[in-house]
Amino acid sequence: MESIKITVTGRVQRVGFRWSVVSLAQRLNIKGFVKNLPNGDVYIEAEGPT
């Protein structure tokens, strides 16, 4: 199992970006969460098989 923390900065596509990340994670059997930060960035924590 491997885990990663990512912060996406710059121009992020509102709610559509978040849902596309969730959809991809489900297909790849990756667990975790995604949240919008107050400054407009998106924070992701994910864990899945290596």
Side-chain angles (χ1 to χ4, degrees):
M1 198 63 82
E2 188 172 338
S3 64
I4 190 168
K5 297 176 184 178
I6 303 167
T7 302
V8 181
T9 61
R11 185 161 171 88
V12 178
Q13 301 174 355
R14 307 206 186 241
V15 177
F17 176 81
R18 219 175 101 171
W19 287 112
S20 67
V21 171
V22 170
S23 176
L24 178 60
Q26 289 172 338
R27 287 183 294 191
L28 297 174
N29 197 30
I30 296 172
K31 309 294 182 199
F33 69 91
V34 178
K35 74 176 189 175
N36 295 326
L37 300 176
N39 66 356
D41 293 349
V42 175
Y43 179 73
I44 304 165
E45 282 193 22
E47 181 177 272
T50 55

